[in-house]
Amino acid sequence: MRFEERMLPHEVKHIKVLRENAAECAVLLKKDGKFPLEKPGKLALYGNGARRTVKGGTGSGNVYSRCYSTCEEGLEYAGFEVTTKNWLDAYDSERDRYHGEFVEEIKRKAAELNVSPFVVGFGKIEPEYDYEFPLSAEGEACVYVLGRISGEGNDREIMPGDVLLTDTEVRDILALNGQFERFMLVLNVGGVIDLTPVKEVKNILYLSQLGAVTGDILADILLGKANPSGKLTTTWAAVEDYQKIGEFGSRDDTRYKEGIYVGYRYFDTAKANPLFPFGFGLSYSEFEWKIGKISVEKGKVNISVSVSNIANIAGKEVIQLYVSAPKGKIPKPYQGLAAFAKTKELQPGESQTILLAFDLRDTASYCEACEAWVLEQGDYIIRVGTSSRNTQIAASLKLDRTVETWKLKKRMGEPDFEDAVIEFSYDDNVAEIPKLEITAADFETKTCDYMVDRNVDEFVAELSNEEAAYLCLGAFLPNATGGIVGNSAFHVAGAAGETTNYLTEKLGDRYLVMADGPAGIRISRKYALTEKGVTPVIEKLPDGLDELLGDEMNAAVRKIYESIPPETIQEQYTTAIPIGTAIAQSWNTEFAKLCGDIVGTEMEIYGIHLWLAPALNIHRDIRCGRNFEYFSEDPFISGKMAAGITLGVQSHEHRGTTIKHFAANNQENNRYNSNSIVSRRAMREIYLKGFEIAIRESQPKAVMTSYNLLNGEHTSQCKDLVEEILRGEFGFQGLVMTDWVTTGVKFNPSSAHPAVYAHKIIKAGNDIVMAGGQPDFDDMMEALNNGTISRQEIDICATRVLRAINNI
């Protein structure tokens, strides 16, 4: 592999693991049998993603890998002769021209607002433009790579060049589809694109953004060295067909009026037709499957399914199980995912029997009137298939009476609306299917006792007030105003932050270093060891930022770089893994563990204790700018994938994950002060369920609260969420931290909602304020002195921080 001569052994190993497995994340949306190709040859390569391939999103999604293959590079390295160099050069030239205009417009707006161009430009995505270059190149096949990038700070827009295709893209894709017998549209995107104008294309591959090996995986798939076996974890549809019930992107208050009808739960219940349904994905192979033995005991269901590869190429298949609950007093969606399993790689003619297992308790609905999880009396229809729209009924389970499985307390406030209800009917013929009887006596009704460990360690009790407060704050320099990601760590260059550096006399060499994610560890490429400690070495400002901050800032960065003795400079490259959505599209928790193992190994090598990932917020709306980081519109697969990654990371001693953003963090617009207004039922069934699954199955070392408010209270200050639900109900035992600079964003007097304060965060049981700063310390001391917060409340959180430092 190229770059190998410059890579360290662990880098070589990790790239090899990804190269061997990442095709499982790619989703074949359409095929006509003309691929894979027999051998590399002349290839006509077009599209904005061909040379400017996106390996992951912006912001925390960016990882500095030594090795990264674009689609053009991957194809050429595989032996293809790219015949469209003139077109690619012309596109680059035109794009650079438009890019200059884009940057100047940001600077103009910044000048009008009298703010830094960074404030206006952060997370702002440059759309695609229209152009006209001849499509005259020849080739034995043609590939058009459509690229899109998104990230922190801004949401996507329903406009050409973002969610929609441009006129140029539609024109060129359709022309090439007609011109070449072998044509493949490749989607190098992190989220949904409305493909309605090009749905006639014969072959469509959703490659996604696969980190360091993105271009190489494309080459492997085209040549049949790898067979795409991914399935969608988000419904792809025309933009006008997505639900319009709930609000999205409102500056201050966003009402989740759609309730539980998110993603396929909406499409399947409302009988709306997507372009490609949830769970859908083709393969070069063809499979037959047959439902086998079905059993149920004490509410636990097991179904065996035999899967056979009937094609002449090896491949993998995913079988999914959905449950349709009876229509009782509680409104239901048409169905919900309850289990899935992926086969091994089946050779032509080979078969495998897989097991789908679930507990009927996990399909319960949340009843707000009785504040309990409820299984209503009636028939539970079990559906097995290869997408939410391609299933057959396997069995019906008849529950003799309604039962409450778990009694809880009313938490999280009230919305100012009632959730939508979508009426539907089951049109299934269940006469010939197996019918199994289950009894309410099989289900024990449990009552949550909300027991939370609030003990205080003797070491903490003996600290001074100031020392106890420092334990609840991230490390910072005296009189610092607050840290930012990449500028708040002292032991690892470019890490996001650390626990306190003010108790070294008592703690000694004990601290936790935290690094961003979630597509790998995000730290500086290079660093220097100086008298002051570890210092990031930056040769120049990152692309994009250099243009926004101007020549003066660039010159200052260059001057610092030139002052560093070259012999003191060290490297610390990390591996960019696939984005969260891509990992989930593998429908393979073992692959998720492999990705976690890659991260855990590099955490050991570079001295990172907590990885600020995985992120598992729900794809509530396709416009959310950070959807690429998140797994799915479905909480079940989200929780399973987060648990898989966590188990991979935490198989390494003294390393942990930080699942985030807790909770209802589903838009970037005004993300520090936007208020998500959500019903208790929707919160528990959709937005908290994935966190609960991940915690119960993997017990991550930390949880990060989100920026947004939930029903009028910032999540970082919400005791209901942090103490009662996270710890009391889910049984979380680790460290709770804020997102970065949560308390530092008090510069927006026009916000309809109050700012966040360190003492309120600690009072809610949110253990540590990150990244920490002098204003946070001052706020805590003032609150302690005037009695707004007690020393006992500080000590409880400080004890949890200390235990994390000692145990992680």
Side-chain angles (χ1 to χ4, degrees):
M1 172 135 191
R2 62 199 177 288
F3 310 127
E4 237 178 52
E5 66 279 3
R6 301 189 343 247
M7 294 165 62
L8 299 177
H10 73 271
E11 294 178 85
V12 175
K13 178 183 177 181
H14 293 164
I15 292 297
K16 183 175 184 290
V17 169
L18 292 178
R19 183 76 180 270
E20 291 173 348
N21 293 279
E24 291 201 40
C25 307
V27 184
L28 188 60
L29 296 175
K30 291 189 70 177
K31 66 176 184 177
D32 68 355
K34 299 295 175 58
F35 292 88
L37 304 173
E38 297 80 9
K39 60 182 180 179
K42 291 186 176 181
L43 184 76
L45 180 64
Y46 295 97
N48 66 315
R51 182 174 286 173
R52 300 177 182 228
T53 306
V54 182
K55 74 178 190 299
T58 66
S60 64
N62 189 23
V63 173
Y64 301 122
S65 271
R66 189 194 312 269
C67 170
Y68 159 50
S69 63
T70 67
C71 290
E72 181 185 24
E73 291 168 340
L75 291 166
E76 288 186 326
Y77 186 73
F80 286 98
E81 179 188 343
V82 174
T83 63
T84 51
K85 294 291 188 179
N86 289 340
W87 190 97
L88 296 172
D89 291 342
Y91 174 83
D92 281 347
S93 178
E94 188 76 350
R95 180 72 180 183
D96 288 343
R97 181 176 70 83
Y98 279 119
H99 178 70
E101 296 175 3
F102 174 75
V103 171
E104 289 306 312
E105 177 62 16
I106 290 175
K107 291 180 178 179
R108 185 190 65 78
K109 288 183 178 180
E112 284 182 4
L113 298 171
N114 194 29
V115 297
S116 165
F118 174 77
V119 174
V120 176
F122 177 65
K124 190 169 183 61
I125 302 303
E126 183 176 356
E128 281 298 306
Y129 304 97
D130 286 312
Y131 49 82
E132 188 165 355
F133 310 130
L135 305 174
S136 56
E138 297 181 352
E140 294 152 23
C142 179
V143 171
Y144 188 103
V145 184
L146 178 81
R148 293 288 192 271
I149 194 167
S150 58
E152 281 191 82
N154 271 277
D155 291 311
R156 300 176 65 200
E157 296 185 57
I158 306 297
M159 60 176 289
D162 194 341
V163 173
L164 303 179
L165 299 173
T166 67
D167 291 342
T168 294
E169 289 169 336
V170 173
R171 180 199 67 213
D172 288 355
I173 290 168
L174 292 180
L176 294 168
N177 184 61
Q179 181 178 336
F180 287 86
E181 181 181 2
R182 287 180 158 182
F183 173 72
M184 177 81 79
L185 171 59
V186 174
L187 306 174
N188 173 222
V189 301
V192 174
I193 301 294
D194 187 345
L195 296 177
T196 304
V198 296
K199 61 184 178 181
E200 67 188 67
V201 169
K202 297 167 286 192
N203 297 280
I204 304 177
L205 175 69
Y206 178 18
L207 180 66
S208 191
Q209 296 164 350
L210 303 179
V213 297
T214 302
D216 294 313
I217 295 297
L218 173 59
D220 288 346
I221 290 173
L222 290 181
L223 291 171
K225 294 180 179 180
N227 192 345
S229 60
K231 303 278 186 178
L232 294 178
T233 57
T234 296
T235 304
W236 281 49
V239 292
E240 62 268 19
D241 291 333
Y242 288 98
Q243 65 87 9
K244 304 293 191 300
I245 306 167
E247 301 168 353
F248 175 80
S250 303
R251 176 174 175 76
D252 294 314
D253 298 308
T254 300
R255 291 169 175 82
Y256 291 39
K257 295 179 181 179
E258 74 281 0
I260 59 171
Y261 301 107
V262 177
Y264 72 90
R265 286 172 170 81
Y266 166 76
F267 279 89
D268 295 350
T269 308
K271 291 182 167 54
N273 291 319
L275 295 173
F276 303 103
F278 176 85
F280 176 80
L282 302 174
S283 168
Y284 288 149
S285 306
E286 295 288 342
F287 300 94
E288 288 182 348
W289 52 274
K290 184 178 180 181
I291 297 170
K293 183 180 178 181
I294 305 172
S295 65
V296 58
E297 182 177 0
K298 298 292 185 181
K300 295 180 180 179
V301 183
N302 292 284
I303 300 179
S304 65
V305 179
S306 175
V307 184
S308 300
N309 183 354
I310 60 173
N312 60 1
I313 184 172
K316 298 182 179 183
E317 178 62 296
V318 176
I319 303 297
Q320 304 154 39
L321 185 151
Y322 299 82
V323 175
S324 295
K327 296 181 67 177
K329 295 180 180 179
I330 305 172
K332 309 287 197 310
Y334 178 79
Q335 61 185 353
L337 182 69
F340 62 88
K342 193 167 194 173
T343 68
K344 66 178 183 178
E345 184 172 75
L346 298 176
Q347 299 301 315
E350 187 178 8
S351 299
Q352 180 187 3
T353 298
I354 59 176
L355 182 67
L356 298 170
F358 72 99
D359 192 323
L360 195 64
R361 297 168 184 81
D362 296 332
T363 70
S365 301
Y366 193 78
C367 171
E368 292 186 352
C370 49
E371 296 299 340
W373 288 97
V374 174
L375 289 170
E376 290 198 278
Q377 175 184 357
D379 294 327
Y380 289 79
I381 300 172
I382 300 174
R383 308 175 190 275
V384 174
T386 55
S387 78
S388 73
R389 291 299 181 92
N390 181 32
T391 62
Q392 66 183 59
I393 297 177
S396 176
L397 305 179
K398 188 175 186 63
L399 179 62
D400 58 352
R401 62 181 174 85
T402 296
V403 60
E404 294 180 351
T405 62
W406 204 21
K407 291 284 291 182
L408 302 173
K409 293 180 181 178
K410 186 176 180 179
R411 293 290 181 260
M412 295 179 294
E414 296 278 359
D416 56 1
F417 58 85
E418 292 188 2
D419 283 351
V421 175
I422 301 177
E423 298 293 340
F424 69 97
S425 61
Y426 296 123
D427 300 322
D428 306 295
N429 180 6
V430 297
E432 303 299 324
I433 65 170
K435 296 181 177 60
L436 304 173
E437 299 287 334
I438 51 176
T439 173
D442 290 336
F443 302 96
E444 176 187 358
T445 300
K446 297 182 179 180
T447 300
C448 183
D449 59 17
Y450 291 92
M451 291 296 293
V452 175
D453 180 5
R454 296 188 175 91
N455 294 323
V456 174
D457 287 357
E458 183 178 347
F459 175 92
V460 171
E462 294 177 353
L463 295 175
S464 68
N465 289 344
E466 291 79 7
E467 288 171 331
Y470 281 132
L471 259 180
C472 296
L473 302 174
F476 63 92
L477 296 173
N479 300 313
T481 57
I484 60 174
V485 172
N487 193 34
S488 303
F490 301 91
H491 293 88
V492 179
E498 299 180 4
T499 50
T500 185
N501 54 351
Y502 281 109
L503 275 73
T504 53
E505 288 186 8
K506 293 187 176 181
L507 288 178
D509 194 31
R510 287 182 290 163
Y511 53 86
L512 296 178
V513 178
M514 308 165 194
D516 219 334
I521 301 171
R522 189 167 189 250
I523 52 179
S524 299
R525 297 181 183 92
K526 299 179 180 181
Y527 67 95
L529 294 173
T530 68
E531 293 179 357
K532 296 180 180 180
V534 176
T535 302
V537 172
I538 304 173
E539 301 175 46
K540 70 179 196 67
L541 289 170
D543 292 343
L545 194 60
D546 56 346
E547 300 166 304
L548 293 176
L549 297 184
D551 294 340
E552 186 175 338
M553 182 64 73
N554 279 294
V557 168
R558 187 68 187 176
K559 184 176 180 180
I560 293 172
Y561 171 71
E562 291 174 348
S563 69
I564 300 172
E567 65 273 12
T568 67
I569 297 176
Q570 308 289 322
E571 294 182 336
Q572 52 179 16
Y573 286 94
T574 58
T575 303
I577 63 175
I579 60 173
T581 302
I583 292 174
Q585 286 171 181
S586 73
W587 290 69
N588 187 344
T589 55
E590 291 303 313
F591 176 68
K593 289 179 185 177
L594 281 177
C595 291
D597 180 58
I598 287 172
V599 172
T601 299
E602 295 183 353
M603 290 171 71
E604 286 185 322
I605 292 169
Y606 296 116
I608 306 298
H609 303 101
L610 282 175
W611 185 42
L612 305 180
L616 64 153
N617 294 102
I618 294 297
H619 292 179
R620 174 179 176 254
D621 191 290
I622 63 169
R623 290 171 288 180
C624 178
R626 297 186 78 170
N627 273 354
F628 74 95
E629 294 187 26
Y630 308 148
F631 296 117
S632 175
E633 66 191 22
D634 178 75
F636 178 74
I637 193 169
S638 296
K640 290 288 186 180
M641 290 298 162
I645 291 174
T646 294
L647 291 171
V649 169
Q650 296 185 175
S651 66
H652 297 264
E653 193 175 9
H654 306 307
R655 314 297 147 181
T657 65
T658 307
I659 62 174
K660 63 182 187 183
H661 308 88
F662 192 69
N665 180 210
N666 302 106
Q667 71 179 52
E668 288 298 286
N669 184 33
N670 192 30
R671 61 180 180 161
Y672 294 102
N673 280 296
S674 65
N675 181 26
S676 298
I677 306 178
V678 197
S679 71
R680 298 192 303 283
R681 183 187 179 192
M683 279 301 300
R684 292 189 184 277
E685 290 193 24
I686 304 296
Y687 302 102
L688 295 178
K689 192 69 174 177
F691 287 94
E692 181 179 9
I693 291 169
I695 288 165
R696 294 193 185 280
E697 295 191 3
S698 65
Q699 197 56 239
K701 300 297 185 184
V703 169
M704 180 190 292
T705 50
S706 53
Y707 287 130
N708 57 281
L709 296 87
L710 173 61
N711 294 337
E713 178 63 85
H714 281 278
T715 62
S716 57
Q717 298 179 161
C718 183
K719 189 171 184 177
D720 278 2
L721 194 64
V722 174
E723 287 282 76
E724 304 298 312
I725 293 176
L726 180 63
R727 291 194 171 101
E729 294 181 13
F730 297 173
F732 178 66
Q733 300 167 13
L735 179 72
V736 181
M737 69 178 72
T738 68
D739 205 339
W740 262 238
V741 208
T742 296
T743 59
V745 186
K746 298 183 175 71
F747 53 73
N748 185 11
S750 64
S751 174
H753 302 294
V756 188
Y757 292 89
H759 76 275
K760 292 184 179 180
I761 289 170
I762 303 305
K763 197 174 183 69
N766 196 334
D767 303 315
I768 186 167
V769 180
M770 295 302 297
Q774 189 69 42
D776 297 323
F777 176 79
D778 294 343
D779 172 70
M780 287 181 62
M781 296 311 298
E782 180 181 353
L784 183 61
N785 291 334
N786 65 28
T788 307
I789 191 172
S790 70
R791 173 62 194 265
Q792 175 78 4
E793 289 170 319
I794 293 176
D795 283 355
I796 290 169
C797 290
T799 293
R800 292 176 184 147
V801 176
L802 178 67
R803 290 176 182 175
I805 293 171
N806 289 336
N807 297 330
I808 292 178

